[in-house]
Amino acid sequence: MKKLIAEFIGTFWLVLGGCGSAVLAAGFPEMGIGFVGVSLAFGLTVVTMAYAIGHISGCHLNPAVSIGLAVGGRFDKKDLIPYIISQVMGAIAGAGILYLIVSGKTGFEIGGFAANGFGEHSPGGYDMVSAFVTEVVMTFFFLVIILGATHSKAPKYLAGLAIGLGLTLIHLISIPVTNTSVNPARSTSQALFADGSWAIPQLWLFWLAPIVGAILAGMVYRFLSPEKE
């Protein structure tokens, strides 16, 4: 139970910190943090939670990460569903708090609410194929970073920093394409609150592509450098 509560709290923070920076600060007049700031914010949520709850739950914060770790032999498959439920619930709670905050402004309009999308809902107008390829590849490398940084042969105590910087880089690359998901829980939470009828119908891609990327990474890394049983 403690592990599930930790995953709830951690994913809550990821959505509030990462998506919150996108919604509240990215385009703030004259002092907006832009894509670089949002990318750094997502990375910082992972770094901070890695050291806060990593010793409790492993700090997955992401259904794709849990699946990739399970495929890579680093996570017990029987815990997958409880972890995923906790992550999605934490993400929705974080998005709910963010909604309460942003709705307190005069003239409030929810807009896209940092939801992920493709086609006309991609920040750069990229199509579905571009979005799918981007999410598969970015999630693949995210899991490679995680599996490598947490390997028994890797330097101790640096995993959180490496993973957080990896997520920052991923956002710097892919925000223009999809608004960067690599995390089905984060995508679900924002789609539920986004204004308009597009976010939920497009949500399938932001579950399927990250999971495909994570599975591929788990298989590849288990071949390259398996942990001793």
Side-chain angles (χ1 to χ4, degrees):
M1 180 58 72
K2 290 181 180 179
K3 292 181 178 181
L4 301 182
I5 293 172
E7 284 296 302
F8 178 95
I9 291 170
T11 314
F12 181 112
W13 182 234
L14 181 141
V15 167
L16 185 59
C19 296
S21 69
V23 172
L24 296 169
F28 198 84
E30 298 181 10
M31 296 183 293
I33 61 175
F35 283 177
V36 174
V38 173
S39 300
L40 184 59
F42 271 100
L44 288 173
T45 64
V46 171
V47 171
T48 51
M49 282 296 109
Y51 295 110
I53 66 169
H55 62 287
I56 302 172
S57 68
C59 191
H60 297 186
L61 317 185
N62 181 338
V65 169
S66 297
I67 292 168
L69 290 174
V71 173
R74 306 284 190 84
F75 183 60
D76 195 333
K77 292 181 175 64
K78 69 177 177 58
D79 293 326
L80 264 180
I81 298 302
Y83 261 57
I84 291 171
I85 292 171
S86 295
Q87 291 156 359
V88 172
M89 290 177 62
I92 293 171
I97 293 297
L98 180 58
Y99 181 87
L100 287 176
I101 293 170
V102 300
S103 62
K105 181 179 179 180
T106 303
F108 158 73
E109 292 183 7
I110 193 64
F113 204 57
N116 301 114
F118 53 84
E120 64 180 304
H121 304 293
S122 157
Y126 291 88
D127 66 13
M128 183 180 68
V129 174
S130 294
F132 189 85
V133 171
T134 298
E135 289 294 324
V136 169
V137 173
M138 293 299 112
T139 311
F140 175 88
F141 280 99
F142 190 37
L143 264 295
V144 167
I145 292 166
I146 292 170
L147 288 161
T150 57
H151 196 280
S152 60
K153 296 179 180 178
K156 304 297 182 184
Y157 311 118
L158 295 178
L161 184 60
I163 295 166
L165 289 174
L167 188 61
T168 298
L169 177 57
I170 285 166
H171 277 78
L172 288 171
I173 297 167
S174 60
I175 285 178
V177 184
T178 63
N179 237 0
T180 309
S181 171
V182 302
N183 186 337
R186 167 261 191 271
S187 296
T188 299
S189 64
Q190 304 314 115
L192 291 174
F193 287 90
D195 186 18
S197 59
W198 61 270
I200 295 295
Q202 292 193 358
L203 184 59
W204 65 271
L205 186 145
F206 301 104
W207 274 86
L208 179 60
I211 289 173
V212 170
I215 290 172
L216 291 173
M219 295 169 63
V220 169
Y221 206 89
R222 192 168 191 173
F223 169 75
L224 290 174
S225 186
E227 287 279 19
K228 292 182 180 180
E229 298 296 336

